[in-house]
Amino acid sequence: QRDHEDPLRSLLSTRTCAHVAPLDYPTQAILASWLRELGIRCLTLAPHPSFLHPWRRDDVAAIVRGLDAFLVSERLALQFLRPATPPSALQIAEHLAGLGCRYLVLTQGARGLILWDGFAGRHWHVPAYPTTVRDPTGVGDAFAGGFLAGLAATRDPLDAALMGAVSASLAIERTGALEMLTSLPGLARARLSSLRALVKPV
């Protein structure tokens, strides 16, 4: 680990944003803490299903607190909350945002996502871009990458969510990560414009 620490630290010293992908809890907690210490100014995280359980609320709160964005599926959020009566998507988002992140993204598969900006008191539904599903592998990562790129570029969570949704739409209709690079010029921009017109405050 020490052999790789300095090169990695050197690489990250030139970066301002980072996303922590789903991993076991200790690894995610260490990474999130370390990245903050390195001065990463924009940090997002998607949890691993293994620790999203009601009896681990303190652990979840510790890792969510201070994040710029917590990206979680509605299915996993319900696993964590375990309510007797399932709350609305907006109630789920509000509850999870209360753990201390700046933005909460509750993904809903083909129904799109709920974006909660508790600091500004704004909340939106962003639909999924309608497309043919060929391979769902890596769609979550594609969304996270698009979201982080959007947040880094604009500091606007809605722009970030739209860019994440477009990135996911390009990934899900292709097989393999590199096929996304074969998209027609202007396709992502056209989809971004199309989706933006469908966003609704909630």
Side-chain angles (χ1 to χ4, degrees), residues 60-97:
V60 175
I63 206 170
V64 171
R65 192 177 302 115
L67 290 175
D68 285 273
F70 186 48
L71 317 178
V72 61
S73 72
E74 188 173 37
R75 178 182 61 82
L76 289 183
L78 287 171
Q79 171 185 297
F80 173 60
L81 296 176
R82 292 280 177 89
T85 302
S88 70
L90 193 60
Q91 289 172 323
I92 296 171
E94 180 181 15
H95 182 88
L96 292 177

PDB file of all heavy atoms in Angstrom, residues 60-97:
ATOM      1  N   VAL A  60     -23.925   4.525   8.051  1.00  0.00           N
ATOM      2  CA  VAL A  60     -24.375   5.184   6.828  1.00  0.00           C
ATOM      3  C   VAL A  60     -24.315   6.699   6.990  1.00  0.00           C
ATOM      4  O   VAL A  60     -23.835   7.417   6.113  1.00  0.00           O
ATOM      5  CB  VAL A  60     -25.802   4.727   6.450  1.00  0.00           C
ATOM      6  CG1 VAL A  60     -26.317   5.515   5.247  1.00  0.00           C
ATOM      7  CG2 VAL A  60     -25.816   3.225   6.139  1.00  0.00           C
ATOM      8  N   ALA A  61     -24.780   7.189   8.140  1.00  0.00           N
ATOM      9  CA  ALA A  61     -24.753   8.629   8.391  1.00  0.00           C
ATOM     10  C   ALA A  61     -23.326   9.161   8.368  1.00  0.00           C
ATOM     11  O   ALA A  61     -23.057  10.246   7.836  1.00  0.00           O
ATOM     12  CB  ALA A  61     -25.413   8.939   9.729  1.00  0.00           C
ATOM     13  N   ALA A  62     -22.389   8.393   8.919  1.00  0.00           N
ATOM     14  CA  ALA A  62     -20.989   8.835   8.976  1.00  0.00           C
ATOM     15  C   ALA A  62     -20.394   8.974   7.585  1.00  0.00           C
ATOM     16  O   ALA A  62     -19.585   9.882   7.331  1.00  0.00           O
ATOM     17  CB  ALA A  62     -20.173   7.853   9.813  1.00  0.00           C
ATOM     18  N   ILE A  63     -20.772   8.088   6.685  1.00  0.00           N
ATOM     19  CA  ILE A  63     -20.180   8.131   5.349  1.00  0.00           C
ATOM     20  C   ILE A  63     -20.895   9.149   4.450  1.00  0.00           C
ATOM     21  O   ILE A  63     -20.294   9.704   3.530  1.00  0.00           O
ATOM     22  CB  ILE A  63     -20.199   6.725   4.702  1.00  0.00           C
ATOM     23  CG1 ILE A  63     -19.070   6.598   3.677  1.00  0.00           C
ATOM     24  CG2 ILE A  63     -21.527   6.404   4.055  1.00  0.00           C
ATOM     25  CD1 ILE A  63     -18.859   5.185   3.179  1.00  0.00           C
ATOM     26  N   VAL A  64     -22.173   9.425   4.743  1.00  0.00           N
ATOM     27  CA  VAL A  64     -22.938  10.374   3.931  1.00  0.00           C
ATOM     28  C   VAL A  64     -22.632  11.821   4.315  1.00  0.00           C
ATOM     29  O   VAL A  64     -22.573  12.710   3.460  1.00  0.00           O
ATOM     30  CB  VAL A  64     -24.457  10.107   4.067  1.00  0.00           C
ATOM     31  CG1 VAL A  64     -25.271  11.206   3.402  1.00  0.00           C
ATOM     32  CG2 VAL A  64     -24.808   8.754   3.456  1.00  0.00           C
ATOM     33  N   ARG A  65     -22.388  12.033   5.614  1.00  0.00           N
ATOM     34  CA  ARG A  65     -22.184  13.387   6.121  1.00  0.00           C
ATOM     35  C   ARG A  65     -21.021  14.079   5.414  1.00  0.00           C
ATOM     36  O   ARG A  65     -19.907  13.561   5.369  1.00  0.00           O
ATOM     37  CB  ARG A  65     -21.924  13.354   7.622  1.00  0.00           C
ATOM     38  CG  ARG A  65     -21.991  14.705   8.317  1.00  0.00           C
ATOM     39  CD  ARG A  65     -21.791  14.548   9.805  1.00  0.00           C
ATOM     40  NE  ARG A  65     -22.800  13.654  10.394  1.00  0.00           N
ATOM     41  CZ  ARG A  65     -22.510  12.478  10.941  1.00  0.00           C
ATOM     42  NH1 ARG A  65     -21.257  12.052  10.986  1.00  0.00           N
ATOM     43  NH2 ARG A  65     -23.480  11.726  11.436  1.00  0.00           N
ATOM     44  N   GLY A  66     -21.297  15.243   4.822  1.00  0.00           N
ATOM     45  CA  GLY A  66     -20.244  16.009   4.164  1.00  0.00           C
ATOM     46  C   GLY A  66     -20.082  15.724   2.683  1.00  0.00           C
ATOM     47  O   GLY A  66     -19.313  16.406   2.012  1.00  0.00           O
ATOM     48  N   LEU A  67     -20.790  14.721   2.163  1.00  0.00           N
ATOM     49  CA  LEU A  67     -20.714  14.447   0.729  1.00  0.00           C
ATOM     50  C   LEU A  67     -21.373  15.571  -0.058  1.00  0.00           C
ATOM     51  O   LEU A  67     -22.343  16.176   0.391  1.00  0.00           O
ATOM     52  CB  LEU A  67     -21.425  13.142   0.381  1.00  0.00           C
ATOM     53  CG  LEU A  67     -20.807  11.822   0.830  1.00  0.00           C
ATOM     54  CD1 LEU A  67     -21.746  10.670   0.480  1.00  0.00           C
ATOM     55  CD2 LEU A  67     -19.435  11.606   0.201  1.00  0.00           C
ATOM     56  N   ASP A  68     -20.872  15.817  -1.260  1.00  0.00           N
ATOM     57  CA  ASP A  68     -21.589  16.720  -2.155  1.00  0.00           C
ATOM     58  C   ASP A  68     -22.845  16.028  -2.665  1.00  0.00           C
ATOM     59  O   ASP A  68     -23.899  16.663  -2.781  1.00  0.00           O
ATOM     60  CB  ASP A  68     -20.692  17.144  -3.316  1.00  0.00           C
ATOM     61  CG  ASP A  68     -19.653  18.156  -2.866  1.00  0.00           C
ATOM     62  OD1 ASP A  68     -19.963  19.355  -2.881  1.00  0.00           O
ATOM     63  OD2 ASP A  68     -18.562  17.738  -2.466  1.00  0.00           O
ATOM     64  N   ALA A  69     -22.742  14.750  -2.986  1.00  0.00           N
ATOM     65  CA  ALA A  69     -23.932  14.041  -3.452  1.00  0.00           C
ATOM     66  C   ALA A  69     -23.866  12.573  -3.065  1.00  0.00           C
ATOM     67  O   ALA A  69     -22.815  11.932  -3.173  1.00  0.00           O
ATOM     68  CB  ALA A  69     -24.083  14.185  -4.966  1.00  0.00           C
ATOM     69  N   PHE A  70     -25.004  12.058  -2.623  1.00  0.00           N
ATOM     70  CA  PHE A  70     -25.172  10.648  -2.302  1.00  0.00           C
ATOM     71  C   PHE A  70     -26.098  10.084  -3.370  1.00  0.00           C
ATOM     72  O   PHE A  70     -27.228  10.544  -3.532  1.00  0.00           O
ATOM     73  CB  PHE A  70     -25.785  10.511  -0.907  1.00  0.00           C
ATOM     74  CG  PHE A  70     -25.885   9.104  -0.392  1.00  0.00           C
ATOM     75  CD1 PHE A  70     -24.803   8.234  -0.459  1.00  0.00           C
ATOM     76  CD2 PHE A  70     -27.055   8.654   0.202  1.00  0.00           C
ATOM     77  CE1 PHE A  70     -24.885   6.936   0.039  1.00  0.00           C
ATOM     78  CE2 PHE A  70     -27.158   7.369   0.705  1.00  0.00           C
ATOM     79  CZ  PHE A  70     -26.069   6.501   0.628  1.00  0.00           C
ATOM     80  N   LEU A  71     -25.605   9.106  -4.138  1.00  0.00           N
ATOM     81  CA  LEU A  71     -26.356   8.530  -5.245  1.00  0.00           C
ATOM     82  C   LEU A  71     -26.832   7.137  -4.838  1.00  0.00           C
ATOM     83  O   LEU A  71     -26.021   6.227  -4.666  1.00  0.00           O
ATOM     84  CB  LEU A  71     -25.471   8.423  -6.498  1.00  0.00           C
ATOM     85  CG  LEU A  71     -24.561   9.612  -6.830  1.00  0.00           C
ATOM     86  CD1 LEU A  71     -23.737   9.313  -8.074  1.00  0.00           C
ATOM     87  CD2 LEU A  71     -25.373  10.874  -7.023  1.00  0.00           C
ATOM     88  N   VAL A  72     -28.134   6.966  -4.709  1.00  0.00           N
ATOM     89  CA  VAL A  72     -28.650   5.686  -4.216  1.00  0.00           C
ATOM     90  C   VAL A  72     -29.935   5.331  -4.955  1.00  0.00           C
ATOM     91  O   VAL A  72     -30.737   6.203  -5.300  1.00  0.00           O
ATOM     92  CB  VAL A  72     -28.890   5.751  -2.688  1.00  0.00           C
ATOM     93  CG1 VAL A  72     -29.924   6.809  -2.333  1.00  0.00           C
ATOM     94  CG2 VAL A  72     -29.289   4.398  -2.120  1.00  0.00           C
ATOM     95  N   SER A  73     -30.124   4.037  -5.205  1.00  0.00           N
ATOM     96  CA  SER A  73     -31.350   3.596  -5.881  1.00  0.00           C
ATOM     97  C   SER A  73     -32.504   3.558  -4.880  1.00  0.00           C
ATOM     98  O   SER A  73     -32.312   3.390  -3.675  1.00  0.00           O
ATOM     99  CB  SER A  73     -31.153   2.209  -6.502  1.00  0.00           C
ATOM    100  OG  SER A  73     -31.091   1.217  -5.485  1.00  0.00           O
ATOM    101  N   GLU A  74     -33.705   3.712  -5.391  1.00  0.00           N
ATOM    102  CA  GLU A  74     -34.895   3.652  -4.535  1.00  0.00           C
ATOM    103  C   GLU A  74     -34.999   2.292  -3.854  1.00  0.00           C
ATOM    104  O   GLU A  74     -35.381   2.201  -2.682  1.00  0.00           O
ATOM    105  CB  GLU A  74     -36.133   3.933  -5.380  1.00  0.00           C
ATOM    106  CG  GLU A  74     -37.413   4.088  -4.588  1.00  0.00           C
ATOM    107  CD  GLU A  74     -38.573   4.535  -5.460  1.00  0.00           C
ATOM    108  OE1 GLU A  74     -38.659   4.086  -6.622  1.00  0.00           O
ATOM    109  OE2 GLU A  74     -39.386   5.336  -4.981  1.00  0.00           O
ATOM    110  N   ARG A  75     -34.626   1.250  -4.559  1.00  0.00           N
ATOM    111  CA  ARG A  75     -34.691  -0.107  -3.982  1.00  0.00           C
ATOM    112  C   ARG A  75     -33.782  -0.228  -2.766  1.00  0.00           C
ATOM    113  O   ARG A  75     -34.182  -0.748  -1.715  1.00  0.00           O
ATOM    114  CB  ARG A  75     -34.288  -1.139  -5.044  1.00  0.00           C
ATOM    115  CG  ARG A  75     -34.270  -2.582  -4.538  1.00  0.00           C
ATOM    116  CD  ARG A  75     -33.823  -3.533  -5.623  1.00  0.00           C
ATOM    117  NE  ARG A  75     -32.474  -3.252  -6.083  1.00  0.00           N
ATOM    118  CZ  ARG A  75     -31.371  -3.673  -5.450  1.00  0.00           C
ATOM    119  NH1 ARG A  75     -31.466  -4.367  -4.324  1.00  0.00           N
ATOM    120  NH2 ARG A  75     -30.181  -3.403  -5.951  1.00  0.00           N
ATOM    121  N   LEU A  76     -32.556   0.265  -2.873  1.00  0.00           N
ATOM    122  CA  LEU A  76     -31.632   0.187  -1.748  1.00  0.00           C
ATOM    123  C   LEU A  76     -32.049   1.114  -0.613  1.00  0.00           C
ATOM    124  O   LEU A  76     -31.853   0.801   0.566  1.00  0.00           O
ATOM    125  CB  LEU A  76     -30.213   0.532  -2.196  1.00  0.00           C
ATOM    126  CG  LEU A  76     -29.523  -0.508  -3.086  1.00  0.00           C
ATOM    127  CD1 LEU A  76     -28.098  -0.056  -3.398  1.00  0.00           C
ATOM    128  CD2 LEU A  76     -29.499  -1.874  -2.411  1.00  0.00           C
ATOM    129  N   ALA A  77     -32.623   2.252  -0.968  1.00  0.00           N
ATOM    130  CA  ALA A  77     -33.085   3.181   0.064  1.00  0.00           C
ATOM    131  C   ALA A  77     -34.192   2.542   0.901  1.00  0.00           C
ATOM    132  O   ALA A  77     -34.223   2.680   2.131  1.00  0.00           O
ATOM    133  CB  ALA A  77     -33.585   4.463  -0.578  1.00  0.00           C
ATOM    134  N   LEU A  78     -35.098   1.820   0.255  1.00  0.00           N
ATOM    135  CA  LEU A  78     -36.165   1.138   0.982  1.00  0.00           C
ATOM    136  C   LEU A  78     -35.605   0.005   1.832  1.00  0.00           C
ATOM    137  O   LEU A  78     -36.113  -0.279   2.923  1.00  0.00           O
ATOM    138  CB  LEU A  78     -37.217   0.608  -0.002  1.00  0.00           C
ATOM    139  CG  LEU A  78     -38.121   1.674  -0.627  1.00  0.00           C
ATOM    140  CD1 LEU A  78     -38.958   1.079  -1.746  1.00  0.00           C
ATOM    141  CD2 LEU A  78     -39.006   2.317   0.426  1.00  0.00           C
ATOM    142  N   GLN A  79     -34.554  -0.649   1.353  1.00  0.00           N
ATOM    143  CA  GLN A  79     -33.879  -1.680   2.140  1.00  0.00           C
ATOM    144  C   GLN A  79     -33.308  -1.068   3.420  1.00  0.00           C
ATOM    145  O   GLN A  79     -33.352  -1.673   4.497  1.00  0.00           O
ATOM    146  CB  GLN A  79     -32.751  -2.308   1.320  1.00  0.00           C
ATOM    147  CG  GLN A  79     -31.843  -3.251   2.112  1.00  0.00           C
ATOM    148  CD  GLN A  79     -30.678  -3.749   1.278  1.00  0.00           C
ATOM    149  OE1 GLN A  79     -30.882  -4.435   0.279  1.00  0.00           O
ATOM    150  NE2 GLN A  79     -29.449  -3.414   1.688  1.00  0.00           N
ATOM    151  N   PHE A  80     -32.779   0.132   3.301  1.00  0.00           N
ATOM    152  CA  PHE A  80     -32.186   0.822   4.447  1.00  0.00           C
ATOM    153  C   PHE A  80     -33.253   1.315   5.426  1.00  0.00           C
ATOM    154  O   PHE A  80     -33.118   1.173   6.643  1.00  0.00           O
ATOM    155  CB  PHE A  80     -31.340   1.994   3.949  1.00  0.00           C
ATOM    156  CG  PHE A  80     -30.804   2.874   5.037  1.00  0.00           C
ATOM    157  CD1 PHE A  80     -29.973   2.371   6.029  1.00  0.00           C
ATOM    158  CD2 PHE A  80     -31.121   4.220   5.076  1.00  0.00           C
ATOM    159  CE1 PHE A  80     -29.469   3.184   7.032  1.00  0.00           C
ATOM    160  CE2 PHE A  80     -30.622   5.046   6.068  1.00  0.00           C
ATOM    161  CZ  PHE A  80     -29.794   4.524   7.048  1.00  0.00           C
ATOM    162  N   LEU A  81     -34.330   1.876   4.902  1.00  0.00           N
ATOM    163  CA  LEU A  81     -35.367   2.453   5.763  1.00  0.00           C
ATOM    164  C   LEU A  81     -36.270   1.394   6.380  1.00  0.00           C
ATOM    165  O   LEU A  81     -36.742   1.551   7.504  1.00  0.00           O
ATOM    166  CB  LEU A  81     -36.207   3.461   4.971  1.00  0.00           C
ATOM    167  CG  LEU A  81     -35.449   4.689   4.461  1.00  0.00           C
ATOM    168  CD1 LEU A  81     -36.366   5.552   3.601  1.00  0.00           C
ATOM    169  CD2 LEU A  81     -34.899   5.508   5.620  1.00  0.00           C
ATOM    170  N   ARG A  82     -36.556   0.329   5.624  1.00  0.00           N
ATOM    171  CA  ARG A  82     -37.431  -0.756   6.067  1.00  0.00           C
ATOM    172  C   ARG A  82     -38.733  -0.237   6.691  1.00  0.00           C
ATOM    173  O   ARG A  82     -39.075  -0.595   7.825  1.00  0.00           O
ATOM    174  CB  ARG A  82     -36.702  -1.631   7.087  1.00  0.00           C
ATOM    175  CG  ARG A  82     -35.545  -2.443   6.540  1.00  0.00           C
ATOM    176  CD  ARG A  82     -36.050  -3.702   5.839  1.00  0.00           C
ATOM    177  NE  ARG A  82     -34.952  -4.424   5.259  1.00  0.00           N
ATOM    178  CZ  ARG A  82     -34.234  -5.367   5.899  1.00  0.00           C
ATOM    179  NH1 ARG A  82     -34.527  -5.673   7.149  1.00  0.00           N
ATOM    180  NH2 ARG A  82     -33.255  -5.990   5.283  1.00  0.00           N
ATOM    181  N   PRO A  83     -39.453   0.637   5.995  1.00  0.00           N
ATOM    182  CA  PRO A  83     -40.697   1.154   6.580  1.00  0.00           C
ATOM    183  C   PRO A  83     -41.822   0.133   6.476  1.00  0.00           C
ATOM    184  O   PRO A  83     -41.854  -0.677   5.558  1.00  0.00           O
ATOM    185  CB  PRO A  83     -40.996   2.378   5.721  1.00  0.00           C
ATOM    186  CG  PRO A  83     -40.425   2.007   4.379  1.00  0.00           C
ATOM    187  CD  PRO A  83     -39.206   1.153   4.648  1.00  0.00           C
ATOM    188  N   ALA A  84     -42.737   0.185   7.436  1.00  0.00           N
ATOM    189  CA  ALA A  84     -43.906  -0.699   7.369  1.00  0.00           C
ATOM    190  C   ALA A  84     -44.756  -0.318   6.162  1.00  0.00           C
ATOM    191  O   ALA A  84     -45.265  -1.174   5.446  1.00  0.00           O
ATOM    192  CB  ALA A  84     -44.715  -0.587   8.656  1.00  0.00           C
ATOM    193  N   THR A  85     -44.899   0.973   5.952  1.00  0.00           N
ATOM    194  CA  THR A  85     -45.612   1.480   4.780  1.00  0.00           C
ATOM    195  C   THR A  85     -44.616   2.262   3.935  1.00  0.00           C
ATOM    196  O   THR A  85     -44.060   3.258   4.410  1.00  0.00           O
ATOM    197  CB  THR A  85     -46.764   2.411   5.183  1.00  0.00           C
ATOM    198  OG1 THR A  85     -47.657   1.695   6.042  1.00  0.00           O
ATOM    199  CG2 THR A  85     -47.503   2.918   3.953  1.00  0.00           C
ATOM    200  N   PRO A  86     -44.335   1.834   2.701  1.00  0.00           N
ATOM    201  CA  PRO A  86     -43.348   2.529   1.878  1.00  0.00           C
ATOM    202  C   PRO A  86     -43.695   4.001   1.706  1.00  0.00           C
ATOM    203  O   PRO A  86     -44.822   4.335   1.320  1.00  0.00           O
ATOM    204  CB  PRO A  86     -43.417   1.786   0.537  1.00  0.00           C
ATOM    205  CG  PRO A  86     -43.932   0.433   0.892  1.00  0.00           C
ATOM    206  CD  PRO A  86     -44.893   0.663   2.031  1.00  0.00           C
ATOM    207  N   PRO A  87     -42.770   4.890   2.031  1.00  0.00           N
ATOM    208  CA  PRO A  87     -43.025   6.320   1.851  1.00  0.00           C
ATOM    209  C   PRO A  87     -42.922   6.701   0.382  1.00  0.00           C
ATOM    210  O   PRO A  87     -42.521   5.900  -0.465  1.00  0.00           O
ATOM    211  CB  PRO A  87     -41.901   6.967   2.663  1.00  0.00           C
ATOM    212  CG  PRO A  87     -40.782   5.961   2.607  1.00  0.00           C
ATOM    213  CD  PRO A  87     -41.453   4.613   2.576  1.00  0.00           C
ATOM    214  N   SER A  88     -43.266   7.938   0.092  1.00  0.00           N
ATOM    215  CA  SER A  88     -43.121   8.423  -1.279  1.00  0.00           C
ATOM    216  C   SER A  88     -41.642   8.609  -1.589  1.00  0.00           C
ATOM    217  O   SER A  88     -40.796   8.693  -0.686  1.00  0.00           O
ATOM    218  CB  SER A  88     -43.846   9.757  -1.441  1.00  0.00           C
ATOM    219  OG  SER A  88     -43.167  10.778  -0.719  1.00  0.00           O
ATOM    220  N   ALA A  89     -41.330   8.690  -2.875  1.00  0.00           N
ATOM    221  CA  ALA A  89     -39.946   8.895  -3.287  1.00  0.00           C
ATOM    222  C   ALA A  89     -39.388  10.192  -2.708  1.00  0.00           C
ATOM    223  O   ALA A  89     -38.215  10.254  -2.292  1.00  0.00           O
ATOM    224  CB  ALA A  89     -39.838   8.902  -4.809  1.00  0.00           C
ATOM    225  N   LEU A  90     -40.215  11.215  -2.648  1.00  0.00           N
ATOM    226  CA  LEU A  90     -39.762  12.495  -2.111  1.00  0.00           C
ATOM    227  C   LEU A  90     -39.465  12.392  -0.622  1.00  0.00           C
ATOM    228  O   LEU A  90     -38.483  12.961  -0.127  1.00  0.00           O
ATOM    229  CB  LEU A  90     -40.817  13.574  -2.370  1.00  0.00           C
ATOM    230  CG  LEU A  90     -40.359  15.023  -2.153  1.00  0.00           C
ATOM    231  CD1 LEU A  90     -39.187  15.369  -3.063  1.00  0.00           C
ATOM    232  CD2 LEU A  90     -41.511  15.980  -2.389  1.00  0.00           C
ATOM    233  N   GLN A  91     -40.276  11.647   0.103  1.00  0.00           N
ATOM    234  CA  GLN A  91     -40.030  11.442   1.532  1.00  0.00           C
ATOM    235  C   GLN A  91     -38.737  10.654   1.758  1.00  0.00           C
ATOM    236  O   GLN A  91     -37.983  10.942   2.691  1.00  0.00           O
ATOM    237  CB  GLN A  91     -41.213  10.709   2.160  1.00  0.00           C
ATOM    238  CG  GLN A  91     -42.475  11.549   2.281  1.00  0.00           C
ATOM    239  CD  GLN A  91     -43.677  10.727   2.728  1.00  0.00           C
ATOM    240  OE1 GLN A  91     -43.841   9.557   2.339  1.00  0.00           O
ATOM    241  NE2 GLN A  91     -44.529  11.329   3.538  1.00  0.00           N
ATOM    242  N   ILE A  92     -38.500   9.662   0.891  1.00  0.00           N
ATOM    243  CA  ILE A  92     -37.254   8.890   0.991  1.00  0.00           C
ATOM    244  C   ILE A  92     -36.055   9.809   0.780  1.00  0.00           C
ATOM    245  O   ILE A  92     -35.081   9.788   1.545  1.00  0.00           O
ATOM    246  CB  ILE A  92     -37.228   7.756  -0.052  1.00  0.00           C
ATOM    247  CG1 ILE A  92     -38.329   6.738   0.221  1.00  0.00           C
ATOM    248  CG2 ILE A  92     -35.868   7.065  -0.066  1.00  0.00           C
ATOM    249  CD1 ILE A  92     -38.499   5.715  -0.884  1.00  0.00           C
ATOM    250  N   ALA A  93     -36.131  10.624  -0.266  1.00  0.00           N
ATOM    251  CA  ALA A  93     -35.034  11.536  -0.576  1.00  0.00           C
ATOM    252  C   ALA A  93     -34.793  12.523   0.557  1.00  0.00           C
ATOM    253  O   ALA A  93     -33.647  12.785   0.947  1.00  0.00           O
ATOM    254  CB  ALA A  93     -35.328  12.281  -1.883  1.00  0.00           C
ATOM    255  N   GLU A  94     -35.871  13.059   1.107  1.00  0.00           N
ATOM    256  CA  GLU A  94     -35.744  14.018   2.211  1.00  0.00           C
ATOM    257  C   GLU A  94     -35.080  13.368   3.418  1.00  0.00           C
ATOM    258  O   GLU A  94     -34.204  13.954   4.068  1.00  0.00           O
ATOM    259  CB  GLU A  94     -37.116  14.558   2.595  1.00  0.00           C
ATOM    260  CG  GLU A  94     -37.072  15.569   3.730  1.00  0.00           C
ATOM    261  CD  GLU A  94     -38.457  16.080   4.100  1.00  0.00           C
ATOM    262  OE1 GLU A  94     -39.463  15.461   3.695  1.00  0.00           O
ATOM    263  OE2 GLU A  94     -38.529  17.112   4.803  1.00  0.00           O
ATOM    264  N   HIS A  95     -35.489  12.148   3.726  1.00  0.00           N
ATOM    265  CA  HIS A  95     -34.927  11.441   4.875  1.00  0.00           C
ATOM    266  C   HIS A  95     -33.428  11.207   4.704  1.00  0.00           C
ATOM    267  O   HIS A  95     -32.640  11.468   5.615  1.00  0.00           O
ATOM    268  CB  HIS A  95     -35.645  10.111   5.066  1.00  0.00           C
ATOM    269  CG  HIS A  95     -35.173   9.334   6.249  1.00  0.00           C
ATOM    270  ND1 HIS A  95     -35.710   9.492   7.505  1.00  0.00           N
ATOM    271  CD2 HIS A  95     -34.179   8.413   6.367  1.00  0.00           C
ATOM    272  CE1 HIS A  95     -35.077   8.692   8.352  1.00  0.00           C
ATOM    273  NE2 HIS A  95     -34.152   8.025   7.682  1.00  0.00           N
ATOM    274  N   LEU A  96     -33.039  10.705   3.540  1.00  0.00           N
ATOM    275  CA  LEU A  96     -31.625  10.398   3.312  1.00  0.00           C
ATOM    276  C   LEU A  96     -30.785  11.672   3.235  1.00  0.00           C
ATOM    277  O   LEU A  96     -29.650  11.706   3.706  1.00  0.00           O
ATOM    278  CB  LEU A  96     -31.467   9.576   2.035  1.00  0.00           C
ATOM    279  CG  LEU A  96     -32.045   8.158   2.095  1.00  0.00           C
ATOM    280  CD1 LEU A  96     -31.894   7.470   0.749  1.00  0.00           C
ATOM    281  CD2 LEU A  96     -31.365   7.337   3.177  1.00  0.00           C
ATOM    282  N   ALA A  97     -31.333  12.727   2.642  1.00  0.00           N
ATOM    283  CA  ALA A  97     -30.605  13.993   2.583  1.00  0.00           C
ATOM    284  C   ALA A  97     -30.364  14.528   3.979  1.00  0.00           C
ATOM    285  O   ALA A  97     -29.352  15.209   4.239  1.00  0.00           O
ATOM    286  CB  ALA A  97     -31.379  15.012   1.747  1.00  0.00           C
TER     287      ALA A  97
END
